[in-house]
Amino acid sequence: MSSSTQQIYTVSHLNRFARQVLESEIGIVWVRAEISNFVAASSGHWYFTLKDERAQVRAAMFKNANRRVSMRPREGDRVLVRASISLYEPRGDYQLIVEHMEPEGEGLLKQQFEQLKRKLLTEGLFDQSHKRPLPQPILKVGVITSPTGAAMHDILTVLKRRNPAIEVVLYPSQVQGEAAPMQLIRAIELANLRSEVDILIVGRGGGSLEDLWCFNDERLARCIYASRLPVISAVGHEVDVSIADFVADLRAPTPSAAAELVSQDKDELQHRVNQLAIRLRQRLTALMETKAYSQQLLESRLVRHHPQARLHQQAQQLDRLADTLTFFLQRHLSKTQERLQTLESRLMHYSPAQQLTGQTQQLHYLQQSLIRNMQQLLISKGQRLAANGHLLDTVSPLATLARGYSISLIGDKVIKTLGDIKQGDQLTTKLADGTIISEVKGLESKSH
């Protein structure tokens, strides 16, 4: 293949491409190695080589990262570093940019610690819902530690000063070394089996990470979690943290602090006893006053309920009842008399003699009224008759006849026009004083 068909790099471009590939594809790594060729530059940066039996790699740690390292590396130190892979472009040297450094043994232990911590956290062994409060009161404390260690001495000293009444039961165990975890576990199980104490303190004094490592054992953590007795973890100094601290019901920064947690200061306890005594006296005084008042009430009730007093009360009540009875009898008698008078009045009103007298009077009144009405009716009828007679007389044919007029009839038919008669008809002519009977001889109209 010719060069014209391939991508051609310059050296600088190639080194830059290689650096980008290393940084993007590999990223952060942990490396365990031995330090050699260590140089601390005046700029504050460190330059050194990391090597093992078969290979080596250049490394750099800049001052903003190395100032957080508690140790200053020396030739031959074995360390554990966290670094990103890079490449120094001017020389094409592959190198590590170190971000964190710690001694090899301690670093591995910390890694194991973090792994176990994440595991147990995921399983819920650190949940606050599982934590139990300190029992009250605490009269007996179980201590799981070395009988010859400083922790036991510190706990006893604090308890003696604060509350000597608390009893201490020691469950001896190693607190360092490979056998320590199983001894601690057996001591916790024994304390739970005996169930003779109120709470357990598990711990020891300070030391290195390796010295305290037995308290990071997974088996011990699960045993503490399963304990029926509440457990206080008191491992090392205040800055030391163990897995036992996370899983226990309560963490104390030191064994002395654990002893303070389970005990009340005797001065505070005495003050509390004094306060309780004052409250007790106040309660007793109040109770005695209440009882005295109750006795007075009972005596008063006894006087009120004496037979003589009750007889007096009943005599008074009998008098009141007699007065009430007399009042109601009189009122009832008065109402009865009023009712009898009302009934007598009504009876007199409905008496036959009374009714007969009333009806006789009413009949006489009706007779008089009938006579008056008949008289008025006759007068009215007579007046009307006279008026009608006068009117009738006014329009009567007789009156007309009396004035010189006559009425001619053919039979019963009045003759009004010539057309009503004919020659030879017999006429009846009525006058005021008689009747003329005549025969029609001839007819003559007004036109002639």
Side-chain angles (χ1 to χ4, degrees):
M1 185 178 295
S2 65
S3 60
S4 60
T5 61
Q6 293 180 337
Q7 184 174 0
I8 300 175
Y9 292 94
T10 63
V11 175
S12 58
H13 286 167
L14 178 61
N15 286 351
R16 183 178 301 112
F17 178 70
R19 180 180 61 81
Q20 292 172 350
V21 171
L22 287 172
E23 291 177 352
S24 62
E25 295 297 327
I26 299 179
I28 303 296
V29 295
W30 285 87
V31 178
R32 182 174 58 194
E34 178 183 327
I35 289 182
S36 65
N37 303 322
F38 179 81
V39 175
S42 59
S43 61
H45 306 323
W46 293 348
Y47 300 97
F48 49 91
T49 301
L50 294 174
K51 67 176 184 177
D52 58 17
E53 295 81 1
R54 292 177 291 184
Q56 63 181 17
V57 62
R58 291 181 180 275
M61 191 173 193
F62 302 119
K63 65 178 180 180
N64 60 342
N66 64 42
R67 65 180 53 175
R68 296 191 296 267
V69 179
S70 59
M71 53 170 280
R72 185 179 180 88
R74 294 178 299 177
E75 193 76 20
D77 283 350
R78 297 194 62 84
V79 294
L80 179 68
V81 300
R82 184 179 70 240
S84 58
I85 299 177
S86 184
L87 185 139
Y88 184 60
E89 295 182 20
R91 289 199 303 267
D93 289 341
Y94 150 69
Q95 64 178 2
L96 298 179
I97 305 300
V98 178
E99 300 175 359
H100 173 77
M101 178 186 295
E102 57 190 30
E104 179 183 4
E106 184 177 343
L108 291 175
L109 291 179
K110 285 185 178 179
Q111 280 190 320
Q112 295 174 13
F113 175 87
E114 293 297 333
Q115 291 174 357
L116 179 59
K117 180 181 174 182
R118 286 193 297 270
K119 176 182 178 182
L120 299 183
L121 176 64
T122 303
E123 294 182 18
L125 269 67
F126 303 161
D127 288 351
Q128 288 298 319
S129 59
H130 184 72
K131 308 296 185 185
R132 290 161 293 188
L134 295 180
Q136 293 294 336
I138 297 176
L139 304 176
K140 206 169 186 179
V141 176
V143 180
I144 300 176
T145 189
S146 171
T148 60
M152 189 65 194
H153 176 267
D154 294 343
I155 290 173
L156 292 175
T157 301
V158 172
L159 293 180
K160 182 178 179 181
R161 171 175 54 83
R162 288 175 59 83
N163 192 349
I166 293 179
E167 186 177 351
V168 178
V169 177
L170 173 64
Y171 300 95
S173 172
Q174 292 185 22
V175 290
Q176 183 175 339
E178 295 182 359
M182 287 308 301
Q183 289 193 20
L184 291 169
I185 290 171
R186 284 195 291 269
I188 294 173
E189 292 174 345
L190 179 61
N192 277 272
L193 180 63
R194 291 182 179 178
S195 192
E196 58 188 344
V197 296
D198 301 312
I199 195 166
L200 290 175
I201 298 176
V202 179
R204 57 155 290 163
S208 65
L209 181 60
E210 290 82 357
D211 294 338
L212 306 178
W213 189 250
C214 61
F215 292 94
N216 295 321
D217 188 89
E218 181 177 355
R219 296 166 298 175
L220 176 61
R222 296 187 184 279
C223 180
I224 293 174
Y225 182 81
S227 173
R228 288 182 291 104
L229 294 172
V231 177
I232 297 179
S233 175
V235 179
H237 299 300
E238 188 168 354
V239 295
D240 298 318
V241 180
S242 67
I243 295 296
D245 293 334
F246 291 111
V247 76
D249 295 291
L250 189 64
R251 177 199 179 243
T254 63
S256 298
E260 292 184 0
L261 288 173
V262 300
S263 64
Q264 281 188 325
D265 184 74
K266 61 182 180 181
D267 294 334
E268 295 178 0
L269 188 60
Q270 183 63 46
H271 176 71
R272 184 177 178 187
V273 170
N274 294 337
Q275 291 296 320
L276 291 174
I278 293 173
R279 291 173 59 186
L280 180 60
R281 284 195 295 270
Q282 292 174 345
R283 286 288 186 90
L284 288 174
T285 302
L287 181 61
M288 291 178 65
E289 292 176 352
T290 302
K291 293 298 182 183
Y293 179 69
S294 298
Q295 184 178 359
Q296 292 177 358
L297 291 178
L298 290 173
E299 290 176 354
S300 176
R301 289 177 60 187
L302 183 60
V303 171
R304 290 198 306 271
H305 290 84
H306 192 275
Q308 187 66 38
R310 297 195 65 182
L311 286 174
H312 290 164
Q313 291 177 359
Q314 290 177 354
Q316 292 177 359
Q317 187 175 7
L318 184 60
D319 292 340
R320 286 196 301 270
L321 290 175
D323 293 341
T324 303
L325 181 60
T326 301
F327 170 76
F328 279 108
L329 284 175
Q330 290 177 351
R331 190 173 67 174
H332 180 70
L333 182 60
S334 177
K335 288 184 177 181
T336 303
Q337 290 176 348
E338 291 177 359
R339 186 177 180 187
L340 285 174
Q341 290 177 358
T342 302
L343 291 175
E344 185 177 358
S345 176
R346 292 175 62 186
L347 182 62
M348 290 297 295
H349 178 72
Y350 290 106
S351 171
Q354 185 74 17
Q355 288 187 2
L356 182 60
T357 302
Q359 289 178 357
T360 301
Q361 292 176 353
Q362 186 176 7
L363 179 60
H364 178 72
Y365 172 77
L366 291 175
Q367 287 176 347
Q368 294 297 325
S369 179
L370 179 61
I371 292 172
R372 287 194 302 272
N373 290 336
M374 288 297 294
Q375 290 175 350
Q376 291 178 357
L377 181 62
L378 287 174
I379 292 172
S380 176
K381 292 294 184 181
Q383 292 175 350
R384 186 175 180 184
L385 178 63
N388 289 335
H390 178 71
L391 179 63
L392 182 63
D393 186 57
T394 302
V395 297
S396 171
L398 296 178
T400 303
L401 293 177
R403 290 195 299 270
Y405 292 96
S406 62
I407 300 174
S408 296
L409 300 94
I410 296 177
D412 294 331
K413 183 178 180 182
V414 177
I415 299 172
K416 297 179 180 180
T417 63
L418 292 178
D420 294 333
I421 60 175
K422 62 182 183 292
Q423 190 174 350
D425 287 340
Q426 186 175 348
L427 302 179
T428 300
T429 302
K430 289 185 176 184
L431 302 173
D433 56 352
T435 302
I436 299 175
I437 299 173
S438 61
E439 181 180 347
V440 177
K441 294 297 185 178
L443 300 172
E444 184 177 348
S445 62
K446 286 182 176 184
S447 57
H448 297 136

